[in-house]
Amino acid sequence: MAGLENYERVYRGKSTKSWESENNLSVYHGREVIRPLDVPVMHPLAEDSPPAEDITVKRYIGATCGLASLITETLLVHPFVVLRRQCQVNPGSNKYHIVPVTLVPVIIRLHQTQGINTLWKGIGSVLLVKGMMLAIEDFLSKVTPWPKEITCNSSLKAFGQHVLLKCVSIGLTTPFYSASLVETVQSEIASESPGILDVFRDGAIRLVEVSNKGRLIPIYSLLPPTIACGVTKYLFTLTVHGVTNRIMQIRQKQSQESRGAYSRDLLSEEVVLDIELQSVLISTFMAEVLFYPWETVIHRLHLQGTRTIIDNLDTGRSVTPLLTGYSGAIDCYDTILSTEGPLGLYKGFGALLLQFTMDVVIVRVMKWIVTELGKVLKPKPKSARKQPNWNYNEL
């Protein structure tokens, strides 16, 4: 600026000419000091704050737990589904296998006589029927306004359309479900092993057989009870899942309030995932228990007249043919009560208990493994840097 050329630059009242630099130190009137202006400016909020949580790892944990649940639902618990259905459809069995203990020696004998593969029979057809139902639902949701999923905020019209979607998908897959049921219960030592795609051929044959052939019940007569059971069971599962999920979330909040403050992890993905897994297991188990007698009746109607030979689970060493003559669902229900008693509707219930025990154990183990793996893969936060404490000599 004009008029200031002859003035010297000063620092704290001293002339800047009195500063001399040497080896990164400054000499001020013969004394070595660190110049305050040369100290780098630190931003503790920017440098020392921990990094954000790795969202990718959390998604990986959730997807892996979902995959583990799917595997247990289709592959690892299939042996118990086979045992359960063989008990349900056998009207002449003396052992009802209400508890899991009675099934253990039977499983050992089946393994000794037929090999371990006998407990996984029909697994291919089961997977194909499930995939077919998912494909039909996806196709119908794209070509029609029917929603594939609903929430608590969905309108009454959307709810009705969703129920209609379920009815149509269950109805279209019923013939193939009937063929798959035969493959899961028939004995491998008394019949030929079916091919992987035989379920489509047998389902098509069952579909075109519209007239009574011996004791075989036409598929159109099986559609009403099958669709009613499937849709009612689905809606019950959906309702119980939503209620249990909400109750567990409320209990989680109450537990936080009892400790005086909300935890930072109250709504974390780990807590939400754990609540979701528990609610799914509870709702599915309650639905299976409540609809078990209805399922027993429907399975017997589907197998009547199919000339199916099943393993005799009273001994585990012999086979027995299915010979029934029910005229319909009501007649089947009354006949079971009169000849086998109320517990006849729950034959094979011990296999269901084993099935859900396996579900709980495997899902919990997989969740623990993946959670620990997520902790290892998650990037560690940077260690907090201490703010430098500079001591200056009195100038």
Side-chain angles (χ1 to χ4, degrees), residues 252-253 256-257 259-268 271:
Q252 181 73 18
K253 293 180 180 180
Q256 297 295 336
E257 290 177 351
R259 291 195 288 266
Y262 286 105
S263 172
R264 188 173 67 91
D265 296 332
L266 177 63
L267 299 177
S268 65
V271 175

Side-chain angles (χ1 to χ4, degrees), residues 281-309:
L281 290 175
I282 292 173
S283 60
T284 306
F285 179 73
M286 292 181 63
E288 293 291 346
V289 173
L290 182 63
F291 288 87
Y292 198 91
W294 197 346
E295 186 182 74
T296 300
V297 172
I298 291 178
H299 284 174
R300 293 195 180 188
L301 294 177
H302 275 277
L303 292 178
Q304 180 172 299
T306 57
R307 300 178 181 179
T308 303
I309 299 176

Side-chain angles (χ1 to χ4, degrees), residues 10 31 76 83 107 139 169 316 327 356 369 389:
V10 297
R31 300 169 63 183
L76 300 181
L83 294 172
I107 295 174
F139 175 76
S169 61
S327 59
F356 276 92
I369 292 175
N389 186 16

Side-chain angles (χ1 to χ4, degrees), residues 171 174-175 206-212 216-227 302:
T174 294
R206 189 67 187 273
L207 181 63
V208 298
E209 290 179 345
V210 295
S211 60
N212 285 323
L216 185 67
I217 300 178
I219 199 67
Y220 66 84
S221 298
L222 297 175
L223 285 177
T226 304
I227 294 175
H302 275 277

Side-chain angles (χ1 to χ4, degrees), residues 18-43:
S18 59
W19 291 91
E20 297 179 4
S21 299
E22 182 180 358
N23 297 330
N24 295 329
L25 294 177
S26 299
V27 179
Y28 183 74
H29 290 285
R31 300 169 63 183
E32 294 183 352
V33 296
I34 299 177
R35 299 183 61 177
L37 293 180
D38 293 339
V39 177
V41 179
M42 304 296 295
H43 299 281

Side-chain angles (χ1 to χ4, degrees), residues 87-88 90-91 93 96 292 300 340 343-349:
C87 292
Q88 283 180 311
N90 189 359
S93 60
Y96 290 5
Y292 198 91
R300 293 195 180 188
E340 304 172 51
L343 290 180
L345 296 169
Y346 285 92
K347 282 186 175 180
F349 189 77

